[in-house]
Amino acid sequence: MSAATRRLTTAQALVRFLAAQYTERDGVRHRLVAGTWGIFGHGNVAGVGQALVEYGDVMPFHQGRSEQAMVHAAVGHARHLNRLSAQAVTTSIGPGATNLVTGAALATVNRLPVLLLPGDYFASHAADPLLQQLEHPSEADVSVNDALRPVSRYFDRINRPEALLASAPRAMRVLADPAETGAVTLALPQDVQAEAFDWPEEFFADRVWRVRRPAPDPEELADAVRALRAARRPLIVAGGGVHHGEAEAALEALVDATGIPVASTQAGKGSLRHDHPADLGGIGHTGTAVADDLARTADLVIGVGTRYSDFTTASGTLFQDPGVRFLNLNITAFDAHKLAARTLVCDARAGLTALTGALSGHRVPSSYEDEYRAGRARWEETVRAALRADDENAVPTQTQVLGALDAVVADRDVVINAAGSLPGDLHKLWRSRSPRQYHLEYGYSCMGYEIPAALGVQQAAPGVPVWALVGDGTYLMNPTEIVTAVQEELPVKLVLVQNHGYASIGGLSESVGAERFGTDYRHRAADGTFTGAPLPVDLAANAASLGMDVLRAKTVRELREALSTARAATRPTCVYVETAAGDAPGAQAWWDVPVAEVSARDAATGARARYEQAVADRRHHL
């Protein structure tokens, strides 16, 4: 071997390369690929699997139980570290690879980096058709991995070892790019994984990818300042970009200087502490009354790091002032231009800091501050009533479960959720105490995200109490990573809420005339009607069988005690609670779910009439 080269297999070279990649922002360096999750089969065991054994000293390995869950864990890790560090996921060919698609979509929708390394067919086609190979009659270069193309920000199939020399750095660039990041896929044919090549030594040298903080364009900044000075009722909508850019302090400085109130998307909640005088809580369909009321009368909406999903805009019905305009500060031009906005395409921290300096001496009218602070006080009374439990011996409602958890957690705890009825309750009611505490995956709202994401967060933040909040429906989707938590000794805390069905979609089903069809976990009679008897399913016993310590709580008092015990636990612990029916604060804004235009059922025709009345308020901001 030449002194300038090293003879390794493609898989070995890839692992060595990944171990030498770093990000750096504000002078702080992170491993770009901090570890690799894997489930092995014939498509990756002799290639990537062998390489991970060979180089275990430089590339940590985590054994997963579900391919989709491994991606969720990697996404949770990346989000908690503000996208400055990612993890890789390797799978075999076939179902192992296609199981990645949901996780990849979640990562890309949420702009969170994850590296996918699925096995593929033989590049030589010497053994076609392989076990689990998809054969296409007219395109021999198609495999199931092509299903990952539309949900990946970068995709390549490494058909020759030397192709990695060009493709691997391109993949790292996308992982580290704050505007373009998402799922990155390098499909690895099995024969190429094991093929040797003389690799240039410089391929394995440490490489630092600096995560840029682009400053605002001077003309865009001047335009933004003019708009802000002219506004009488401005409102900031804080999105996930505030957290990704570590811009929370810059946002607070702007708000303190100007008095502009802040409402938050699911991804942006926690951008201000809940007790800051200008924090209005969540916005949109699952938002607070004070935030949504101000949104309806705002004359300038300043979006910071948000992509304006339909939940945020109430499907285009929320921002109703006749002259309302938008100013969007976003590192991604695609999102900055939404709603015909003035744009400030830049890093969140850089842009907010520049605005604060340029707005020196400007403040919103004192009457406006008085108005939103009074609204905050009224909503806080609603929150207290929803979280309070007057009878310590009663079965808790779901909102009282949140109240008990609120009484137990500290500022540094992380609370994770993604789907069901909990996101709405959390967005309205949770009192975020730190930027990283509120971890809601609501871009893809993927059932089954919470438990594996808790593992990724726990790896990113050793010693921090990490809580995964799940309902029974979500738990049944993806509980398998409990075994991984036990194996890796990750002391995650699971709050398992049993309400016997899909509570969120059941309520939605009823509201659109589908009468809760197919949403209950109860016995059916021969005629298809529900008998009302719960199924004889014991989810707490299931969690215990997978290795968790399980605490069963039947009353509010028992729940609070169990949560305190779980928080102090040093191994994976589940708090199981069956909830009573209770009324959480209702939706403060509409959400467009189309209703059947014609139906023979009264429930559907009534829902259609209400739908037509609501949709009439939709606006197109041009």
Side-chain angles (χ1 to χ4, degrees), residues 220 223-224 227 300-304 306 308 324-330 332-345 620-622:
E220 285 194 335
D223 192 30
L300 180 67
V301 179
I302 306 104
V304 183
T306 178
Y308 287 110
V324 64
R325 303 303 294 175
F326 295 84
L327 166 64
N328 292 337
L329 191 166
N330 205 296
T332 306
F334 175 79
D335 291 315
H337 282 272
K338 289 177 178 176
L339 301 176
R342 294 178 173 88
T343 61
L344 204 57
V345 181
H620 296 283
H621 299 284
L622 302 172

Side-chain angles (χ1 to χ4, degrees), residues 162-514:
E162 57 268 35
L164 197 63
L165 293 169
S167 191
R170 292 171 186 163
M172 298 303 102
R173 181 195 68 79
V174 175
L175 286 176
D177 191 295
E180 295 185 28
T181 196
V184 168
T185 301
L186 296 179
L188 301 172
Q190 296 170 61
D191 51 348
V192 178
Q193 289 183 47
E195 186 175 344
F197 182 75
D198 292 329
W199 302 88
E201 282 290 348
E202 38 282 82
F203 187 59
F204 307 114
D206 286 0
R207 184 175 303 201
V208 177
W209 301 86
R210 287 190 169 80
V211 180
R212 65 184 70 87
R213 288 195 182 277
D217 175 82
E219 292 188 10
E220 285 194 335
L221 178 61
D223 192 30
V225 169
R226 283 192 291 272
L228 279 161
R229 288 188 178 277
R232 302 293 293 171
R233 300 181 63 83
L235 172 67
I236 293 172
V237 175
V242 176
H243 294 311
H244 298 330
E246 298 175 330
E248 297 90 355
L251 175 63
E252 185 175 13
L254 174 66
V255 170
D256 288 345
T258 64
I260 302 173
V262 176
S264 303
T265 69
Q266 287 280 18
K269 193 172 170 76
S271 294
L272 289 182
R273 268 187 64 103
H274 75 93
D275 52 3
H276 191 285
D279 181 64
L280 307 181
I283 191 170
H285 178 64
T286 54
T288 68
V290 58
D292 287 350
D293 285 348
L294 259 69
R296 292 184 180 97
T297 59
D299 57 358
L300 180 67
V301 179
I302 306 104
V304 183
T306 178
R307 62 190 188 92
Y308 287 110
S309 76
D310 61 341
F311 259 58
T312 299
T313 67
S315 300
T317 64
L318 187 57
F319 305 109
Q320 285 294 328
D321 184 87
V324 64
R325 303 303 294 175
F326 295 84
L327 166 64
N328 292 337
L329 191 166
N330 205 296
I331 200 166
T332 306
F334 175 79
D335 291 315
H337 282 272
K338 289 177 178 176
L339 301 176
R342 294 178 173 88
T343 61
L344 204 57
V345 181
C346 60
D347 169 74
R349 183 193 290 182
L352 290 168
T353 301
L355 283 173
T356 302
L359 287 168
S360 179
H362 175 73
R363 195 166 184 89
V364 300
S366 59
S367 59
Y368 186 48
E369 292 189 72
D370 293 342
E371 177 187 344
Y372 70 67
R373 291 185 182 189
R376 269 179 45 84
R378 289 192 298 272
W379 184 256
E380 181 58 26
E381 287 303 311
T382 300
V383 172
R384 290 196 187 100
L387 300 184
R388 184 176 60 242
D390 296 323
D391 184 355
E392 290 282 299
N393 296 313
V395 175
T397 65
Q398 181 165 284
T399 57
Q400 288 168 351
V401 170
L402 298 183
L405 184 61
D406 175 76
V408 168
V409 301
D411 290 12
R412 67 193 187 110
D413 292 36
V414 179
V415 176
I416 301 173
N417 188 239
S421 56
L422 278 165
D425 291 350
L426 285 161
H427 200 204
K428 295 187 194 80
L429 303 174
W430 189 258
R431 298 161 166 151
S432 298
R433 308 174 193 182
S434 65
R436 293 287 81 192
Q437 183 176 82
Y438 188 88
H439 184 125
L440 260 284
E441 189 289 295
Y442 217 59
Y444 212 50
S445 188
C446 186
M447 295 177 71
Y449 170 83
E450 295 91 337
I451 296 173
L455 273 60
V457 172
Q458 193 74 83
Q459 290 171 335
V464 171
V466 179
W467 302 84
L469 275 56
V470 301
D472 51 319
T474 291
Y475 179 84
L476 287 168
M477 287 275 186
N478 204 4
T480 55
E481 298 320 293
I482 287 174
V483 178
T484 301
V486 172
Q487 181 179 33
E488 299 228 351
E489 299 181 339
L490 297 170
V492 295
K493 296 91 173 58
L494 170 62
V495 180
L496 177 50
V497 179
Q498 172 64 275
N499 54 19
H500 301 291
Y502 299 125
S504 175
I505 206 68
L508 177 62
S509 171
E510 189 169 50
S511 73
V512 299

